[in-house]
């Protein structure tokens, strides 16, 4: 079974540009999560999808970040316009159910560098 | 909000020896889950071990075990007989068992473990 995949693995952009990150969850997982780790700090929750609906987007930093999950399959996270403080590693995770102790399965992350 | 603290940014261990990674957390909840995840270089995070807060018995998974001290809000990971493949970044994570926040994980800042041959 394929794991969670993310594309690209690394992106370098200039301040003010737009970047779109993609996440493909494990097939059949209705729950999809985005997290972010700024260099050397903790991994922080951004938002949670259940199928195509946003269950919780309390961690989204500001309105420059837009997440979508059309059709309840893959998800995209767009940053527009990017700022220097947006640099970090963006992780995607998926799970079957979220009301149990089940783990979330993580992708390898996308390293975003904003110059 | 819940916070998770990993006070050791980096640690080293000799192959075949034992190492303990520390994790403390702050919560007012009585029911929750704790996890240790491992992220090898340039690879995805994988679950190492999990602990339900209502269970007094410490979880074990082969060479990995935890020391869960609920009153002290401490959740350390012990790796016995360390192997080169254990070299990775280790993240401690907390998750509520109920309420509005139970969909999200709270992570620590990570501990980078080096294993010396």
């Amino acid at each position: 079974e394929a794991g969670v995949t993310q594309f690209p693995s690394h992106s370098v952009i200039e301040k003010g540009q737009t970047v779109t990150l993609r996440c493909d969850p494990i097939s059949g997982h209705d729950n999809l999560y985005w997290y972010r780790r700024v260099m050397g700090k903790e991994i922080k929750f951004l938002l949670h999808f259940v199928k195509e609906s946003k269950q919780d987007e309390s961690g989204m930093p500001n309105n420059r970040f837009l997440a979508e999950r059309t059709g309840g399959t893959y998800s995209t996270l767009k940053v527009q316009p990017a700022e220097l403080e947006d640099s970090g590693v963006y992780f995607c995770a998926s799970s079957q159910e979220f009301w149990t102790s089940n783990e979330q399965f993580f992708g390898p992350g996308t390293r975003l560098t904003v110059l | 909000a819940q916070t998770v603290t990993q006070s050791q940014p980096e640690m080293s261990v000799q192959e075949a020896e034992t190492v303990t990674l520390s994790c403390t957390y702050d919560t007012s909840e009585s029911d929750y889950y704790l996890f240790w995840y491992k992220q090898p270089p340039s690879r995805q995070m994988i679950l190492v071990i999990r602990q339900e807060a209502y269970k007094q018995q410490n979880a074990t998974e082969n060479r990995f075990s935890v020391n869960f001290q609920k009153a002290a809000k401490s959740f350390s990971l012990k790796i016995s007989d360390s192997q080169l493949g254990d070299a990775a970044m280790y993240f401690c994570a907390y998750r509520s068992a109920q309420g509005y926040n139970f969909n999200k994980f709270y992570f620590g800042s990570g501990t980078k473990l080096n294993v010396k041959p």
Side-chain angles (χ1 to χ4, degrees):
Chain A
E1 176 184 88
V4 176
T5 57
Q6 294 185 245
F7 182 83
S9 58
H10 194 179
S11 179
V12 180
I13 61 172
E14 294 196 349
K15 177 182 171 181
Q17 290 186 323
T18 297
V19 63
T20 300
L21 313 181
R22 173 171 169 144
C23 168
D24 286 77
I26 292 172
S27 177
H29 282 190
D30 288 339
N31 296 279
L32 187 149
Y33 312 82
W34 283 98
Y35 292 85
R36 176 175 73 172
R37 183 181 190 224
V38 173
M39 182 62 72
K41 303 218 170 160
E42 67 272 20
I43 300 171
K44 285 193 173 180
F45 170 85
L46 296 178
L47 88 160
H48 169 211
F49 283 100
V50 178
K51 297 185 180 178
E52 67 275 7
S53 299
K54 291 176 185 173
Q55 177 76 17
D56 179 358
E57 51 184 331
S58 61
M60 294 288 265
N62 51 60
N63 58 11
R64 296 185 293 102
F65 289 75
L66 175 64
E68 294 180 322
R69 193 182 182 195
T70 306
T73 53
Y74 71 90
S75 174
T76 58
L77 180 64
K78 182 162 72 174
V79 185
Q80 179 182 30
E83 297 289 345
L84 299 179
E85 64 265 25
D86 300 333
S87 295
V89 180
Y90 290 76
F91 292 100
C92 175
S94 71
S95 69
Q96 288 182 307
E97 301 122 353
F98 64 85
W99 57 84
T100 69
S101 64
N102 283 355
E103 66 184 285
Q104 293 180 8
F105 295 84
F106 283 81
T110 293
R111 181 175 295 278
L112 174 64
T113 302
V114 183
L115 302 176
Chain B
Q2 287 73 19
T3 58
V4 178
T5 302
Q6 292 180 250
S7 59
Q8 305 150 318
E10 188 167 358
M11 294 187 72
S12 295
V13 64
Q14 205 71 34
E15 195 176 7
E17 294 189 343
T18 296
V19 64
T20 298
L21 309 184
S22 301
C23 173
T24 59
Y25 56 94
D26 187 23
T27 185
S28 58
E29 299 173 336
S30 58
D31 198 13
Y32 48 86
Y33 306 105
L34 296 165
F35 304 79
W36 278 98
Y37 275 86
K38 164 187 175 182
Q39 186 183 25
S42 301
R43 295 179 61 186
Q44 56 214 93
M45 279 202 291
I46 56 173
L47 179 67
V48 174
I49 198 165
R50 94 185 88 201
Q51 175 83 40
E52 289 88 350
Y54 66 86
K55 290 185 178 179
Q56 292 188 336
Q57 187 172 8
N58 289 326
T60 62
E61 287 287 342
N62 301 315
R63 298 182 295 106
F64 299 87
S65 61
V66 299
N67 183 5
F68 172 48
Q69 301 289 329
K70 191 172 184 179
K73 297 178 183 176
S74 171
F75 182 61
S76 60
L77 174 70
K78 184 170 84 172
I79 306 173
S80 304
D81 185 25
S82 297
Q83 301 175 0
L84 295 177
D86 294 333
M89 183 72 78
Y90 286 81
F91 293 97
C92 177
Y94 170 105
R95 180 185 174 189
S96 298
Q98 58 189 3
Y100 177 74
N101 288 326
F102 67 75
N103 57 299
K104 69 184 73 168
F105 278 31
Y106 295 87
F107 284 91
S109 54
T111 296
K112 183 181 179 183
L113 179 65
N114 304 304
V115 181
K116 300 176 181 178

